Amino acid sequence: MRENGFSIANPHPRQTDNVQKLGVAVAMMGLLPLFGTWAGINISGGWMLSLSIACILVGTAIYGVRTYLLVPEGIKNTANWFDPLTNRGLWGWAVGIVLTGFYILLYWFPEYLGLGQNGKTNSGLIHLFDPLSQFFKGQPASQWFMYGTLYTVAILALGIKFIYKYRHSRYHVVRTSVVMLSQFFLAYFIPEILEGLNVGAGSQYYGKDLKNFWPLNYYFFDGWHLDNMQKEGTWGMFFLVWGIIGFAVLTPIITYFVGKRWYCSWVCGCGGLAETAGDPFRHLSDKSMEAWKIERFLIHGVLAFVVLATGLLMYTYFTGKDFGFAINQYLFFALLIGAGLGVVLLYRKNNGFLPSQKVIWTTAVVVAFVILYFLVPNLNEGNSTIFFSSYNFKKWYGFFVGATFSGVVGVGFYPLLGNRVWCRFGCPMAGYMGLFQRFKSRFRITTNGGQCISCGNCSTYCEQGIDVRAYAQRGENIVRASCVGCGVCSSVCPRGVLKLENGPDGARLKDL
Amino acid sequence: MEHIVIIGNGIAGITVARNVRKQSDKRITVISAETDHFFSRTALMYIFMGHMTYQHTKPYEDWFWQKNRIELLRAYVERVDFSEKRLYFSQGEPLAYDKLILAVGSTPNKFGWSGQDLAGVQGLYSYQDLELLEENAQHAKQAVIVGGGLIGIELAEMLLSRNIKVTFLVREKAFWGNVLPKKESELISRHIREHHVDLRLGTELKEILPDANGRVNKVITSDGEEIPCQLVGLTAGVRPNIDFLKNSQLETDRGIKVNRFLETNIPDVFAVGDCAQFDVPPVGRRPIEQVWYTGKLQGEALANTLCGNRTKYEPSHWFNSAKFFDIEYQTYGWVHAQMQEDEADFYWEHADGKKALHFVFDKQTQQLKGVNTFGIRLRHEVFDQWFSEGQTITHALEYLKDANFDPEFFKKHEDEIVDKFNRENGTAIQPKGKSWKRILKAVMG
Ligand SMILES: Cc1cc2nc3c(=O)[nH]c(=O)nc-3n(C[C@H](O)[C@H](O)[C@H](O)COP(=O)(O)OP(=O)(O)OC[C@H]3O[C@@H](n4cnc5c(N)ncnc54)[C@H](O)[C@@H]3O)c2cc1C
Ligand code: SF4
């Protein structure tokens, strides 16, 4: 039996009409300056970036609106497994490689994106963003400003497309509008403006995304960060208190009432990108029991890691005492690779997953280690001995989790492993809220009696790889730590079996 | 150890196997000629449309069977020797059984149309049918579908997804007219046409004609019209797939005759699912039930019986669901195409013509008998409870908000619906707000 569905290509593909073509052309024109400058061409003048962004937004909107308004409203998953972009075909790999490459440069080699270092001015891609950055805060663009801008544009442009794709569902329209607004205002516009107003300049807590609580914002409790906030008087204290209340009070309470979806698919930036730009790849998540095991191991591992790292830093901060031990770099690598292979072997032991996923996971692990091998000596200032201290521990967390996991693998691998790899396997915030969602919350996905026909749409389109059908066909409600409440299972279910809702806490786990 | 052999790895056979395993240590073998593993037949259309792959339609991962010691055998049973208790296959050694479960499902109806066996003419039931369709679709720019039921409309959606033009011949004057009342049928017909299907109501197939190579190239309708096409889908219902069991001691009619314990006339031989025909069906149910959940319920009952706890098949109130292109349909209780003497009804349709609710109740007692819903999801347990308690239409409307199952933020229509009822009947029903307490009572029983 053929692996990925049936036909290689539809013999009678649906023609795109002129309006759709126009949309694609305009959006492509918008992308051109970005790729051009990435390739090293220097473009000055603020109008170019504005034009580029406008073209991307307008072009995508034209394409999206036209595509979905041409046909009656409803589920639009046709040909997902035939399309080489969305079935891990040629285009999927191509996009995956470009995105991964972009993230590697962004995190570790921003000079290749044109960041001017050691007093030099920006060039290329980052230079393109200088005028906008000057406008906001009177300084040249950093790689993070460029990234934040593109990120926001991606959420807005593809959010519009998503809204039209799901225009029959008010849940998706409302949720997507909120996530778009939240990204634009809370994560982008307001922080940039505030930074421009120069309040707390240099203290590096200002101009940060206000909803980015610890543990997602893993340096919140770092000594320098705490110091800076305390130094700044009222504003600083506001940020300090807000940050603590956010993670310790607001998060558990809201999660109790509505589930972690309020964060993961309504306001979070990572979630925002996953739900908009990542939507075409949601069906690529791995639904096997093995993947679930790995998920629980990894996400709680990361959560433990960040708690430990933060704890150590706080200890050092308050007592002034550090601790430390040293280990040879090569020994350390051998241990790491051993652990990595162990995980892969464990995973391979059961073959209840698609063979192509074996290849992908193996590639992911190999790539990760190759990257590591080249990067870690840098990180470690050329030493062949790696020191562990509370500070170093933190650095390692930032490297492994903050950059490699959330960026490179999290987004770079959208077209290969699905759009929620980070949110499912790595995010400590998701892990933290997941504990509440699983054990103390009013949120559940209710199953509608005996209506399930076990078709599998819900499981296939669950970006978090939850085997929704396994519960639905038994008539059980779905109460799972990882559910981000995107609501797509409920939409794609052809029999009206699933409903996301908040109700009495004790009665969530009905067992018929 | 007792050897239980199940022919058929569909929902009915697999439910028996799983539930026998849960309760016992018996040896279990499941035989199927169709696929190595259980998959969801109801999802065939989504494979063809590229929503899912075949892998996704398997409700259990492949390791499940070995882990639960359910032996799977891919083979075609040609003959059963009931006196020797042995199965004979098209190839390979015969297999002995202690208890035999026939869960052999259905096969598409063919009514002896001329040309029905031409290349390019096919039904849609099995995985092999889907493979054939994949091949036939390569040749086709135009298709004709014969028979306006649930599989026919799914086939229409499938072919449209490949940009094949579809002409849909429906014998009845209204779409699915033997099941849906007129207004609902019209609502669906409009939607079918919105998808650019050439829907021909009250039109029958007369003849299918080949080209020089023996492939179909047109059909002739009962009106004498010629419709060019390279693919013909025959979807005029299904019948039990029991031809290989005819002319044996096994008592059959349209299906395999069983009592309410799923026992056939031969000891140690049982039948479940699409292929079983009750001599005395449960109240308010048909003798042959060709839907997913009944196969499951029957399988559960039979597994109990096989494990020593003789259990009657005792389904609750009838329900079902389907999706017509983008419009979801659910039904609870009975809404017949033609209202019966003692019945009255209430119909509401949304201004957009894509949502509707149709209640049927007893003229005298006002007791609710059934509801059809289109484009609005309703809670199964709530209606089930109302039927069991014998609630009236008034009660149903008053508490309708409890029964709404649409996603959050969706527009609610209960007030408008009750308003219309009040205007038409001079009543003053006040819809009550949704109550979790009442809902949970219905759900938890
Ligand atoms: C396209 C389509 C869509 C449907 N959609 C819905 C829906 O939405 N909702 C709903 O409720 N129902 C739906 N149905 C009906 C539902 O799928 C059936 O009622 C159900 O699958 C029947 O299950 P079963 O186990 O009785 O038989 P089957 O699933 O038919 O299983 C019987 C198996 O036995 C095998 N077999 C038969 N004879 C032999 C033999 N001699 N040797 C070896 N193997 C043999 C067959 O190959 C088959 O694999 C749909 C059916 C189809 C075809
Ligand atoms: S999509 Fe709906 S019908 Fe299909 S398996 Fe999931 S819950 Fe069941």
Side-chain angles (χ1 to χ4, degrees):
Chain A
M1 250 156 262
R2 261 164 289 180
E3 195 50 58
N4 281 339
F6 280 78
S7 65
I8 311 301
N10 179 356
H12 320 295
R14 207 171 280 278
Q15 298 296 324
T16 39
D17 73 359
N18 287 335
V19 181
Q20 285 167 299
K21 282 182 189 149
L22 176 77
V24 174
V26 172
M28 285 300 153
M29 266 157 51
L31 286 176
L32 217 55
L34 299 178
F35 281 102
T37 49
W38 189 1
I41 302 168
N42 272 324
I43 300 177
S44 299
W47 57 275
M48 190 45 115
L49 180 64
S50 317
L51 188 69
S52 160
I53 292 176
C55 282
I56 294 175
L57 288 173
V58 171
T60 321
I62 293 177
Y63 176 78
V65 173
R66 177 68 178 182
T67 303
Y68 297 118
L69 284 187
L70 268 180
V71 285
E73 53 183 47
I75 293 304
K76 302 285 171 266
N77 286 334
T78 293
N80 277 351
W81 285 100
F82 303 148
D83 185 334
L85 176 65
T86 55
N87 73 355
R88 298 195 192 99
L90 190 65
W91 281 109
W93 279 90
V95 172
I97 288 168
V98 171
L99 279 176
T100 307
F102 175 77
Y103 273 95
I104 292 176
L105 298 186
L106 179 72
Y107 280 105
W108 298 297
F109 308 101
E111 61 272 22
Y112 290 103
L113 297 171
L115 186 72
Q117 280 165 329
N118 307 324
K120 277 197 278 181
T121 53
N122 289 337
S123 60
L125 181 60
I126 297 181
H127 177 53
L128 186 67
F129 289 75
D130 278 341
L132 188 63
S133 180
Q134 291 289 358
F135 167 77
F136 272 123
K137 44 196 180 190
Q139 57 191 22
S142 65
Q143 80 266 40
W144 302 118
F145 180 78
M146 178 272 301
Y147 176 57
T149 309
L150 286 182
Y151 197 99
T152 307
V153 169
I155 291 184
L156 294 180
L158 294 158
I160 296 173
K161 177 169 170 278
F162 185 87
I163 286 179
Y164 276 88
K165 178 174 174 186
Y166 282 100
R167 70 186 197 275
H168 59 290
S169 166
R170 296 244 311 221
Y171 183 75
H172 292 306
V173 174
V174 175
R175 179 175 64 73
T176 309
S177 307
V178 171
V179 93
M180 286 162 68
L181 291 174
S182 157
Q183 171 65 25
F184 183 73
F185 285 107
L186 295 181
Y188 184 71
F189 195 71
I190 295 177
E192 297 299 351
I193 291 279
L194 287 180
E195 225 184 315
L197 291 177
N198 241 1
V199 188
S203 51
Q204 292 197 38
Y205 62 83
Y206 223 80
K208 285 286 164 355
D209 184 349
L210 265 178
K211 60 184 161 50
N212 196 2
F213 301 129
W214 186 89
L216 186 54
N217 173 0
Y218 54 87
Y219 54 73
F220 186 82
F221 289 109
D222 284 10
W224 60 269
H225 197 250
L226 292 177
D227 281 343
N228 283 349
M229 286 190 288
Q230 290 167 45
K231 272 198 305 229
E232 285 297 330
T234 324
W235 274 106
M237 284 316 279
F238 168 74
F239 271 74
L240 181 62
V241 172
W242 169 253
I244 293 174
I245 290 184
F247 106 84
V249 182
L250 287 183
T251 301
I253 291 183
I254 309 179
T255 306
Y256 170 74
F257 281 105
V258 300
K260 77 193 217 188
R261 55 182 172 154
W262 75 273
Y263 199 83
C264 296
S265 63
W266 284 72
V267 305
C268 176
C270 308
L273 193 72
E275 292 297 339
T276 53
D279 170 66
F281 309 109
R282 57 173 63 247
H283 52 283
L284 301 177
S285 60
D286 187 336
K287 281 79 187 180
S288 66
M289 190 72 92
E290 278 304 306
W292 185 17
K293 280 187 201 151
I294 293 175
E295 165 195 317
R296 280 177 291 183
F297 171 77
L298 276 181
I299 194 164
H300 298 124
V302 169
L303 183 59
F305 192 6
V306 73
V307 169
L308 188 67
T310 307
L312 289 175
L313 275 185
M314 302 269 282
Y315 172 79
T316 306
Y317 178 71
F318 285 115
T319 63
K321 283 187 219 143
D322 201 350
F323 78 105
F325 63 91
I327 183 170
N328 180 282
Q329 181 188 341
Y330 297 103
L331 179 64
F332 183 68
F333 270 121
L335 289 175
L336 267 185
I337 291 174
L341 286 179
V343 170
V344 172
L345 285 179
L346 200 81
Y347 192 67
R348 289 187 59 139
K349 207 178 61 189
N350 280 318
N351 39 17
F353 58 96
L354 301 175
S356 68
Q357 288 188 328
K358 286 184 210 167
V359 181
I360 291 164
W361 277 103
T362 315
T363 319
V365 170
V366 170
V367 168
F369 282 116
V370 170
I371 293 171
L372 266 177
Y373 186 77
F374 287 108
L375 287 176
V376 168
N378 290 355
L379 246 177
N380 213 34
E381 283 109 29
N383 265 324
S384 67
T385 309
I386 297 175
F387 291 99
F388 282 89
S389 63
S390 43
Y391 171 67
N392 261 344
F393 205 58
K394 190 66 186 202
K395 204 157 88 176
W396 282 91
Y397 179 87
F399 175 77
F400 276 110
V401 181
T404 312
F405 206 155
S406 78
V408 180
V409 180
V411 180
F413 282 52
Y414 268 14
L416 303 174
L417 296 174
N419 56 336
R420 284 277 192 180
V421 176
W422 160 248
C423 311
R424 177 183 181 191
F425 295 97
C427 176
M429 185 75 183
Y432 171 56
M433 290 186 295
L435 294 175
F436 286 96
Q437 175 156 295
R438 174 65 186 78
F439 295 109
K440 194 74 195 160
S441 170
R442 290 167 59 85
F443 173 71
R444 86 291 302 277
I445 304 175
T446 306
T447 294
N448 199 5
Q451 288 285 21
C452 174
I453 54 169
S454 299
C455 67
N457 275 295
C458 52
S459 298
T460 306
Y461 284 89
C462 177
E463 53 191 2
Q464 290 286 70
I466 299 173
D467 189 0
V468 182
R469 164 175 57 193
Y471 302 84
Q473 67 191 358
R474 290 197 297 253
E476 281 173 21
N477 289 345
I478 295 102
V479 174
R480 276 278 288 267
S482 63
C483 175
V484 292
C486 69
V488 167
C489 59
S490 164
S491 300
V492 297
C493 174
R495 296 295 177 272
V497 176
L498 305 164
K499 178 170 163 64
L500 281 64
E501 56 187 352
N502 313 311
D505 170 9
R508 290 193 302 168
L509 293 158
K510 72 166 175 174
D511 201 355
L512 296 179
Chain B
M1 203 174 3
E2 188 177 55
H3 187 191
I4 298 205
V5 174
I6 302 167
I7 308 180
N9 68 349
I11 180 66
I14 289 299
T15 306
V16 175
R18 279 181 43 250
N19 284 281
V20 168
R21 175 53 72 241
K22 267 191 216 162
Q23 299 176 39
S24 80
D25 237 5
K26 297 179 202 292
R27 179 173 169 212
I28 304 172
T29 304
V30 180
I31 302 166
S32 168
E34 188 178 9
T35 50
D36 289 337
H37 298 103
F38 169 47
F39 77 104
S40 186
R41 193 175 302 295
T42 54
L44 280 174
M45 67 181 293
Y46 300 107
I47 303 177
F48 188 80
M49 298 199 299
H51 292 210
M52 287 191 267
T53 69
Y54 166 69
Q55 294 290 334
H56 296 109
T57 66
K58 296 181 196 170
Y60 303 93
E61 289 182 62
D62 291 350
W63 49 258
F64 178 88
W65 309 105
Q66 204 186 356
K67 183 172 170 233
N68 289 289
R69 287 168 291 120
I70 295 174
E71 294 169 38
L72 304 178
L73 180 63
R74 178 90 181 264
Y76 181 75
V77 179
E78 249 172 6
R79 189 170 63 84
V80 184
D81 188 328
F82 291 105
S83 39
E84 267 185 59
K85 291 190 159 189
R86 252 170 221 281
L87 306 180
Y88 291 87
F89 300 102
S90 50
Q91 288 171 354
E93 293 296 297
L95 182 74
Y97 65 81
D98 296 312
K99 293 217 166 97
L100 179 67
I101 289 75
L102 299 165
V104 293
S106 304
T107 184
N109 278 328
K110 287 187 175 181
F111 291 113
W113 292 291
S114 121
Q116 69 181 16
D117 296 318
L118 288 172
V121 181
Q122 67 165 117
L124 176 65
Y125 188 83
S126 65
Y127 189 80
Q128 284 68 31
D129 290 339
L130 194 69
E131 289 183 312
L132 182 61
L133 186 67
E134 185 65 39
E135 204 181 302
N136 285 334
Q138 305 283 330
H139 298 283
K141 283 205 145 75
Q142 293 149 297
V144 171
I145 296 172
V146 183
L150 294 177
I151 297 179
I153 195 167
E154 287 188 2
L155 183 57
E157 188 175 352
M158 291 159 74
L159 295 174
L160 284 182
S161 79
R162 301 287 180 95
N163 250 9
I164 297 171
K165 274 181 134 169
V166 175
T167 307
F168 199 173
L169 306 186
V170 175
R171 187 182 56 181
E172 291 79 21
K173 289 257 158 10
F175 178 78
W176 210 26
N178 52 341
V179 175
L180 292 182
K182 189 153 170 289
K183 285 205 179 105
E184 283 110 299
S185 172
E186 282 167 3
L187 181 151
I188 296 303
S189 299
R190 279 199 306 271
H191 187 55
I192 293 174
R193 292 189 167 122
E194 186 186 1
H195 278 275
H196 309 293
V197 173
D198 181 2
L199 176 64
R200 309 283 184 90
L201 297 172
T203 310
E204 281 185 68
L205 172 68
K206 213 170 105 197
E207 209 179 344
I208 309 172
L209 296 174
D211 62 10
N213 304 321
R215 285 197 77 85
V216 52
N217 92 337
K218 64 184 162 201
V219 304
I220 300 182
T221 69
S222 52
D223 308 334
E225 189 185 345
E226 287 188 6
I227 304 173
C229 60
Q230 301 79 43
L231 196 164
V232 173
L234 301 176
T235 56
V238 297
R239 64 182 173 86
N241 177 23
I242 55 169
D243 291 349
F244 77 105
L245 296 165
K246 291 268 163 84
N247 308 320
S248 66
Q249 296 128 275
L250 188 70
E251 195 188 329
T252 61
D253 177 31
R254 280 195 298 139
I256 302 165
K257 295 293 285 276
V258 292
N259 62 17
R260 290 281 294 288
F261 297 92
L262 292 316
E263 295 158 341
T264 67
N265 64 315
I266 303 173
D268 294 338
V269 178
F270 307 82
V272 271
D274 273 29
C275 65
Q277 177 180 353
F278 293 103
D279 42 18
V280 185
V283 187
R285 287 188 171 253
R286 301 191 183 99
I288 302 182
E289 296 185 308
Q290 294 157 327
V291 286
W292 188 260
Y293 78 88
T294 54
K296 197 149 103 177
L297 293 178
Q298 292 174 15
E300 283 164 7
L302 179 56
N304 287 341
T305 303
L306 293 172
C307 295
N309 170 20
R310 196 159 174 264
T311 305
K312 205 169 173 178
Y313 170 56
E314 204 80 78
S316 188
H317 307 280
W318 172 255
F319 67 92
N320 201 7
S321 57
K323 192 170 179 184
F324 306 97
F325 286 94
D326 306 310
I327 299 183
E328 287 174 20
Y329 154 74
Q330 296 179 332
T331 185
Y332 299 103
W334 284 108
V335 177
H336 297 285
Q338 297 295 330
M339 252 203 296
Q340 280 153 20
E341 272 295 286
D342 52 350
E343 289 177 347
D345 73 336
F346 166 63
Y347 181 81
W348 168 88
E349 193 175 297
H350 188 262
D352 71 6
K354 288 190 177 186
K355 290 179 189 158
L357 224 53
H358 189 180
F359 295 90
V360 171
F361 50 95
D362 191 290
K363 247 185 213 162
Q364 297 293 305
T365 63
Q366 301 278 300
Q367 196 174 325
L368 188 66
K369 297 181 99 177
V371 63
N372 274 353
T373 173
F374 295 81
I376 296 178
R377 295 174 172 179
L378 295 177
R379 251 181 234 271
H380 182 183
E381 292 96 340
V382 170
F383 274 92
D384 202 60
Q385 184 194 33
W386 289 345
F387 293 133
S388 295
E389 293 172 355
Q391 299 290 4
T392 61
I393 174 74
T394 318
H395 181 92
L397 289 172
E398 194 172 343
Y399 296 100
L400 195 56
K401 289 182 184 176
D402 289 352
N404 184 300
F405 201 70
D406 270 343
E408 295 152 302
F409 302 108
F410 271 44
K411 249 186 122 64
K412 303 273 191 291
H413 303 286
E414 288 85 7
D415 292 331
E416 186 191 329
I417 293 166
V418 173
D419 232 35
K420 180 167 193 264
F421 184 88
N422 282 338
R423 265 184 282 120
E424 286 175 4
N425 297 277
T427 48
I429 302 167
Q430 292 285 332
K432 293 248 192 321
K434 164 182 166 181
S435 148
W436 267 109
K437 216 171 131 196
R438 285 192 301 266
I439 292 171
L440 289 177
K441 208 177 129 233
V443 171
M444 306 292 201

